[in-house]
Every structure is written in C-alpha cells, then in structure tokens.
Amino acid sequence: MSSEKVSCLIIGSGPAGYTAAVYASRAGLNPVLYTGGQPGGQLTITTDVENYPGYPEGVQGPQMMMDFEAQARRFGTDIRYGLATKVDFSDSNLHKVWIDNTKLIESPTVIIATGASAKWLGLESEQRLNGHGVSACAVCDGFFFRNQEVAIVGGGDTACEEASYLAKLCKKVYMIVRRDELRASQIMQNRVKSLPNLEILWNTETEEVIGESEVEGVKVKNLKTGESTLLNVTGFFVAIGHQPNTEVFKDFIDMDSAGYIQTVKGSTKTNIEGVFACGDAQDNIYRQAVTAAGTGCMAALDSERYLAEKGLH
C-alpha cells in the first residue's frame, strides 16, 4: 500500500469541498482533494439552479460544479478521484485516511465535506425523472412550479416545512402520508392542516411517477381500500429525510443521532483537533449550495489558523 503526506486533505467535492479548496489553495496550504463517490455532489443530479449568487440567468447543476472545480484547479488544488474508505484520527498530530483501501494519506488537517444524500422511495420512475419534475428540495426547486399542482411525500417536520413552502407558491399541494397521522411536531401539523390549498392523503403510498421526459402525474394507492388514484401534478417532491455521508468517521467524530457531524458553534471545528467539517455533512437545517460554500470557506480558514498555531504554516 502506498502512502503520502500532505498538509491539507479535503474529502468531498461539492460546493463545500471545492470552496474549501479555493481558499486553502490561495492560502498556500497545497490542498489535496478527493472527490468521493459522486464528484460534484448532489448538484450533479440537479438541472436548473437559479438561487446561487453570481448566475443571473441560472445555471445547470453539473455546469456549476465544473465551474467550481475549474476555479479550484486554477489556484493549484490537486484534485483526485477516490473515496475515503477508512480513517484513523487517534493521533491528533497526524491524521490517517485510506483512499479506496489502497492508498494511505497522512495530514495534520482534514476537511470533511462529504455531504448528505437524499433518501428516495426507490421507484424507477422517480430516479428517471429526477431533475425533470422530481426533486428532494422544495426550497431549491419549488419556484419552478409556481401556480401549478404538485405532490410531496413524507410526514415529518421536514415534509411539513417543505409542504408549507410549496403551498405559498403552488395552486394545489397533495401531501402523501403512509400512516393515518403525521410524525411532525404539533405546531407543524397544525400549520399544514390549516393550509387551504393543501390536501393530506392519509394511508397512501406512491406507486409510480408518470411521464416520459417530465412529470405528468403521480399514481398513488390507498393502503386501506387498495384503490389507486392518478394525481394530475407536474411536480413530485420527496421529503423523507437525508442521510449524511459520514459513516466512515463514526468511530472518531462526534455526531448527532442522525449522523450529522457536530461542530463547535461559530466554527467548523470537530471534537478532533485538526479535523474540520463543512457543508451538508454537518448541516441538517439549511442544506443549500450557498450555505455549504460558506462553511467550506470557514473550514479552510480554520485549517489555516490551526496550522499557523502549530507552526506548520
């Protein structure tokens, strides 16, 4: 197994990882960035992005990530393809990260920017139409469905929040709930139940998203009666949760019950000296490209200051 020592290792290549790379490169940290299993992160499966500053006409998600990557490369970031498969943070002075179980990287600073992945229902039609009417982020994509009819799946706080957001934009919102009750907090339940243009479909599951190139409807089934119904919607939102991509760090890094990395308030510091976390791997609230980029900047600055304090930069 080959090994290598670097001064700053960045794991992940979404907005957080690439922004960290830009700042770390400009600070002279000579960062090495490993892209992870999905280079570019969730935005590579997103079509129109219209809420990121600096793109007045909007931009395609994959193109935006190519722009981020090009900027990081311009300042000298060593970008490599590979997945962190094992870590050892027991030595606070030199952290060990194995890439694809074949290469050992040792570094005094590690920036975790592995992001989070949306949970899906597992339907073929859902994946095929992802980005073409199917979305896991109402705040990101709700604007495209103004004055249209949409459906959203889920019964927790996130689903209620996103359903409320959609109800402000859309003509009609169907909320598809598998049980006969919501799992959300009482205040969120009261909020969605009071919305005049929102209809909750209890004891209902999604059978299929209809459409060839874009969403034209959703077929749902009542679990009590067995009856199937076609909802004439143009948008289908999945809000059944996100899974942070942090499993590989669990033996060393403090996380909440859902697996999101816990950082010191006002910083990207974790419980391990020299290890910093940014982006959706530590953000279970906002999950936006612009907030991820902001924390990527913070992680690079925190890393630079840490190295300077140690006399390593």
Side-chain angles (χ1 to χ4, degrees):
M1 180 180 291
S2 62
S3 64
E4 179 183 0
K5 289 186 178 179
V6 303
S7 63
C8 179
L9 175 64
I10 301 171
I11 308 172
S13 57
Y18 281 139
T19 302
V22 168
Y23 275 80
S25 294
R26 286 171 58 85
L29 302 187
N30 302 312
V32 170
L33 181 150
Y34 277 95
T35 61
Q38 186 179 358
Q42 293 187 78
L43 281 171
T44 58
I45 57 172
T46 302
T47 51
D48 296 306
V49 179
E50 293 193 335
N51 57 2
Y52 196 91
Y55 291 97
E57 303 301 321
V59 63
Q60 295 288 297
Q63 180 60 53
M64 188 167 87
M65 286 299 92
M66 290 172 63
D67 292 344
F68 271 57
E69 178 183 354
Q71 188 173 7
R73 287 188 186 277
R74 175 191 166 201
F75 292 113
T77 303
D78 184 350
I79 297 175
R80 307 173 183 177
Y81 297 100
L83 180 69
T85 49
K86 178 184 175 183
V87 303
D88 183 352
F89 295 155
S90 57
D91 182 352
S92 62
N93 293 313
L94 197 63
H95 308 296
K96 297 179 180 180
V97 177
W98 284 262
I99 305 297
D100 296 325
N101 294 314
T102 61
K103 185 177 180 68
L104 170 61
I105 302 291
E106 296 179 298
S107 178
T109 58
V110 175
I111 295 175
I112 299 171
T114 48
S117 300
K119 295 179 181 179
W120 299 95
L121 299 175
L123 303 173
E124 181 278 329
S125 53
E126 168 194 52
Q127 295 304 308
R128 178 168 48 81
L129 293 170
N130 190 356
H132 299 277
V134 173
S135 171
C137 180
V139 174
C140 309
D141 301 323
F143 176 83
F144 300 114
F145 301 92
R146 292 181 71 91
N147 301 317
Q148 299 178 43
E149 296 192 5
V150 301
I152 183 169
V153 178
D157 277 339
T158 297
C160 287
E161 288 175 10
E162 299 218 330
S164 299
Y165 180 84
L166 290 170
K168 297 175 183 177
L169 301 171
C170 304
K171 182 167 62 176
K172 177 69 177 284
V173 178
Y174 294 98
M175 193 171 184
I176 303 168
V177 181
R178 282 185 57 88
R179 305 192 302 179
D180 57 3
E181 62 181 2
L182 295 170
R183 292 180 290 105
S185 58
Q186 193 60 51
I187 189 170
M188 291 306 302
Q189 292 189 42
N190 295 340
R191 183 177 301 173
V192 295
K193 289 176 181 179
S194 68
L195 295 170
N197 61 334
L198 185 143
E199 179 180 347
I200 301 177
L201 305 177
W202 304 106
N203 303 298
T204 301
E205 69 176 7
T206 305
E207 291 187 298
E208 184 182 6
V209 184
I210 307 300
E212 289 299 320
S213 59
E214 60 183 23
V215 174
E216 298 174 359
V218 174
K219 186 179 179 182
V220 298
K221 178 181 179 180
N222 185 291
L223 297 174
K224 285 193 171 182
T225 65
E227 180 182 0
S228 293
T229 305
L230 178 64
L231 305 178
N232 293 312
V233 297
T234 53
F236 180 67
F237 292 84
V238 181
I240 56 175
H242 285 75
Q243 180 62 48
N245 304 318
T246 57
E247 178 72 14
V248 70
F249 310 110
K250 67 178 183 179
D251 291 337
F252 299 93
I253 301 294
D254 289 344
M255 304 177 187
D256 66 14
S257 59
Y260 287 92
I261 294 174
Q262 295 181 323
T263 54
V264 175
K265 187 175 182 180
S267 79
T268 60
K269 298 176 183 177
T270 69
N271 61 297
I272 301 293
E273 276 196 22
V275 178
F276 307 92
C278 56
D280 288 9
Q282 54 85 52
D283 175 17
N284 66 345
I285 299 174
Y286 301 105
R287 293 195 293 263
Q288 300 298 301
V290 68
T291 51
T295 57
C297 162
M298 292 167 60
L301 295 177
D302 285 342
S303 297
E304 179 188 10
R305 290 166 183 161
Y306 174 80
L307 290 170
E309 290 170 0
K310 291 288 186 178
L312 300 173
H313 176 62

